[in-house]
Amino acid sequence: VKRRNSTVVILVLTIALACCVVVAVSLGAVAIPFGDVTRMLIARLPGMNLSLGWSDTSTGLSISQAEAIIFQIRLPRVITAAVVGGALAAAGVVFQGLLRNPMADPYIIGTSGGAALGATIALLLPIQVVWLGFTLVPLAAFAGALATVLMVYNIARVGPRTPVTTLLLAGFAFSSMLAAVMSFLMLVSGHTLRRVILWTMGGVTASSWPQLCIVVPLILAGVVAAYALANDLNAFLLGEEQAAYLGVNVERRKLILLMVGSLLTGAAVSVSGLVGFVGLVVPHVARLIFGPDHRLLLPASALMGSLFLVLADLLARLLLAPAEIPVGIITAMIGAPFFICLLRRSKREYVF
Amino acid sequence: MKTYRSLVLWGLLALLIIALAGCAGAKAPEASELAGAAVPESGSVIDDAGRAVEIISNPQRLVSLAPSNTEILFALGLGGKVVGVTDFCDYPEEAQSIEKVGGMEHNLEKIVALDPDLVLAIGGSPAQVEKATEMEKLGLAVLVLQPGGIEGIMANVELVGKATGAEKEANQLAAQMQKRFDVITSRAKGAGSRPSVFFELDATDPSKPYTPGPGSFIDALISLAGGSNIGASAKMQWAQLSTEEIIAQDPKVIVLGDANYGVTVEMVKERPGWSVITAVQNGAIYPIDDILISRPGPRIIDGLEALARIIHPELFE
């Protein structure tokens, strides 16, 4: 019965996400009727042979303009929001489970500091590099995030073991150091400062299809890998000693989980900058609703993270249209009160 | 916590500076009384902030607090009298070797130490006018320039001429500017079309670049140059247009005001969705030196001409 329940949950969340994506794609600065948008989307599905019958004159757009707006601008943006939200929420579950710390988020052991420093350096360098459709900035952010985690992991290692406390402390110390270096670079960056600040605020605006073709598979692979490790995360909930008694190769699994979580975070950060809050709170919300079993918690969190960021980005685009609000403000402004409500209303004590 | 603490620190620092400035202000009258003892000849002009400014005739030591002011002074042949400029005063080249008094914020001590006969400030915001008043309390003659439009720049040239004793040169320069202005605008007016123009100010976030909105200086320049600014439909003077809106408005010409900051024609072509825009399809994307367009100095006419040549190349063949 339990298994069937979780299948239903995942199915419902997936359908909700699909609906949200369609709604998010059909709303924007330029009004395009909902019917036309859905028809255009369906026409692009593989195996569909639908004549569009574009007759809309109310907006004064030609079909090529409408297609450019839908397929080149809105859809990539909505997909970016979905995968970034999913990646951050999944990474949040991984880090919270691994570190057994409710305050853990995907950035906790230095990924954000490393990514931000990498991006800042790339923004300051006067060179233009394009590799696989990526400029230097996302590449440097990704590399910075992973390099930082590797360094923190090595610093935190005590003999054959990597105690969680040392890992957290080393991560914190390392992040502070990187943040200081970044602040200094920002101070001397002159007119690049705006770009650095914009990047650190995060947002899901400027992704192109070639970028998505790399990031989406990477993130999907990361989520699947994290799901495959759900049983290990469940074992970690009992404490490392208990997990070892259950036959889990604790140190090995710890490293793998750390790598999967960091990969997810690095991939998300490379396309969206530092979007906060999703990776911290969505896993808690999912835990309050679905309980602590990672086999359900992980995929449910990922889907809820997608849903949440797609909606937050939609609001960010619409609330002050034609101006936009940085999505990080929306995620915290709507997510935090929602989370507080949920905490107060839940009848049972929070099970971590 | 960290930000809170640094806020407190900066706050304390600001208080200290204000207190020091207050002390300096209190002492100033003595200084001006001393200067008054010599009783040099002086006259009064009304500046753009509506203040009557008492200036000794033929001032010999000039400080400029804006690149546009520096350009006006040099164009009037007064470059040799300029003793202080800002970090941003890059034209003409000689200006770069003059003593700097700061960038956006100016160092009052340094300005006073340069002992100028006249300081050319800029208005634009109440805070800037306040700063001028503050400098005046230190016994300095401060002329605030704040041109509202291209005619205002020509009037500024004449005002500076009057204040510095270079009236003849100023009238000549203003007349020359007026003549070129008339030629360009009458040609543009006579053009058969008014192509739609997207002017990019800043594309830090390329999905929603900044563009000059209605009532802005560049909006007026685009109209004078015979174009119609698609940003004119925005709500603010410094407006953000989403790519969606740019595609829907379908400009015939794209002008890159951010070309000086690394944006290239190639980059614009490669932005997702931009390939359907008429300007991109026709290769009508042009970089422009934004300093010519945005700096209210004598070279503004060069900027207007550059813009008109981009929008109506056929008029200049």
Side-chain angles (χ1 to χ4, degrees), chain A:
Chain A
V1 181
K2 198 126 194 249
R3 167 135 300 186
R4 191 170 337 135
N5 267 347
S6 37
T7 318
V8 170
V9 165
I10 298 303
L11 205 67
V12 167
L13 283 174
T14 311
I15 292 168
L17 178 62
C19 294
C20 272
V21 165
V22 175
V23 171
V25 168
S26 58
L27 295 172
V30 174
I32 303 175
F34 187 72
D36 286 329
V37 174
T38 39
R39 246 180 299 152
M40 277 197 283
L41 287 175
I42 292 169
R44 284 287 177 100
L45 289 177
M48 281 290 167
N49 197 359
L50 193 79
S51 74
L52 272 172
W54 180 264
S55 59
D56 188 73
T57 46
S58 59
T59 52
L61 290 178
S62 72
I63 186 156
S64 61
Q65 280 175 319
E67 285 201 313
I69 289 173
I70 297 297
F71 293 107
Q72 302 293 320
I73 297 164
R74 283 192 205 161
L75 192 57
R77 179 168 178 164
V78 173
I79 291 176
T80 309
V83 293
V84 166
L88 290 177
V93 172
V94 169
F95 281 111
Q96 285 171 7
L98 177 68
L99 303 172
R100 293 185 302 287
N101 185 330
M103 288 309 290
D105 75 349
Y107 305 143
I108 192 153
I109 49 167
T111 36
S112 57
L117 184 62
T120 307
I121 292 172
L123 285 167
L124 288 176
L125 288 178
I127 46 170
Q128 299 275 347
V129 181
V130 179
W131 187 67
L132 295 175
F134 288 92
T135 57
L136 199 56
V137 177
L139 294 173
F142 187 69
L146 292 194
T148 308
V149 170
L150 278 179
M151 255 184 277
V152 167
Y153 179 78
N154 278 312
I155 291 170
R157 204 149 61 182
V158 182
R161 296 190 56 234
T162 315
V164 164
T165 317
T166 335
L167 198 60
L168 278 169
L169 289 176
F172 174 73
F174 212 72
S175 301
S176 312
M177 194 175 76
L178 293 177
V181 174
M182 200 182 98
S183 300
F184 176 75
L185 286 178
M186 283 168 78
L187 191 70
V188 297
S189 63
H191 72 258
T192 353
L193 182 66
R194 272 177 56 83
R195 300 185 62 195
V196 176
I197 292 173
L198 194 77
W199 192 89
T200 52
M201 287 205 299
V204 289
T205 50
S207 352
S208 61
W209 285 112
Q211 292 180 344
L212 287 177
C213 283
I214 293 175
V215 173
V216 173
L218 194 64
I219 286 177
L220 284 179
V223 173
V224 169
Y227 179 66
L229 294 163
N231 277 323
D232 294 314
L233 283 170
N234 281 343
F236 271 103
L237 279 185
L238 304 169
E240 283 183 25
E241 212 171 322
Q242 292 291 328
Y245 294 153
L246 288 173
V248 175
N249 185 343
V250 170
E251 291 307 320
R252 184 89 186 270
R253 293 289 153 159
K254 205 187 277 177
L255 180 61
I256 295 174
L257 280 166
L258 209 60
M259 290 286 55
V260 169
S262 307
L263 186 86
L264 282 168
T265 314
V269 162
S270 71
V271 287
S272 69
L274 300 180
V275 176
F277 208 74
V278 180
L280 176 66
V281 161
V282 170
H284 286 305
V285 172
R287 209 175 273 116
L288 277 169
I289 300 175
F290 304 117
D293 181 353
H294 284 88
R295 283 170 302 178
L296 176 57
L297 181 59
L298 200 120
S301 286
L303 285 166
M304 283 169 70
S306 296
L307 208 65
F308 181 54
L309 201 57
V310 168
L311 287 177
D313 182 53
L314 181 63
L315 289 177
R317 282 189 283 148
L318 293 183
L319 282 184
L320 281 188
E324 287 183 18
I325 307 167
V327 74
I329 295 179
I330 301 283
T331 52
M333 214 143 62
I334 291 171
F338 178 69
F339 181 53
I340 291 166
C341 260
L342 212 61
L343 263 182
R344 279 189 58 91
R345 286 180 127 203
S346 87
K347 299 280 185 284
R348 43 193 179 163
E349 198 185 337
Y350 186 78
V351 189
F352 183 72

Side-chain angles (χ1 to χ4, degrees), chain A residues 27-30 60-61 64-65 68-69 72-74 77 128 176 179 191 194-195 198 205-208 317 321-324, chain B residues 2 202 204-208 210 235-236 238 240 242-250 260-262 267 270 272-274 276:
Chain A
L27 295 172
V30 174
L61 290 178
S64 61
Q65 280 175 319
I69 289 173
Q72 302 293 320
I73 297 164
R74 283 192 205 161
R77 179 168 178 164
Q128 299 275 347
S176 312
H191 72 258
R194 272 177 56 83
R195 300 185 62 195
L198 194 77
T205 50
S207 352
S208 61
R317 282 189 283 148
E324 287 183 18
Chain B
K2 224 188 284 170
D202 176 298
T204 303
D205 183 345
S207 68
K208 39 178 188 294
Y210 279 96
K235 292 190 183 92
M236 284 166 282
W238 175 263
Q240 257 180 321
S242 72
T243 304
E244 292 186 13
E245 281 172 332
I246 299 169
I247 289 174
Q249 299 253 20
D250 197 28
N260 283 354
Y261 311 98
M267 284 161 74
E270 276 165 20
W274 285 58
V276 299

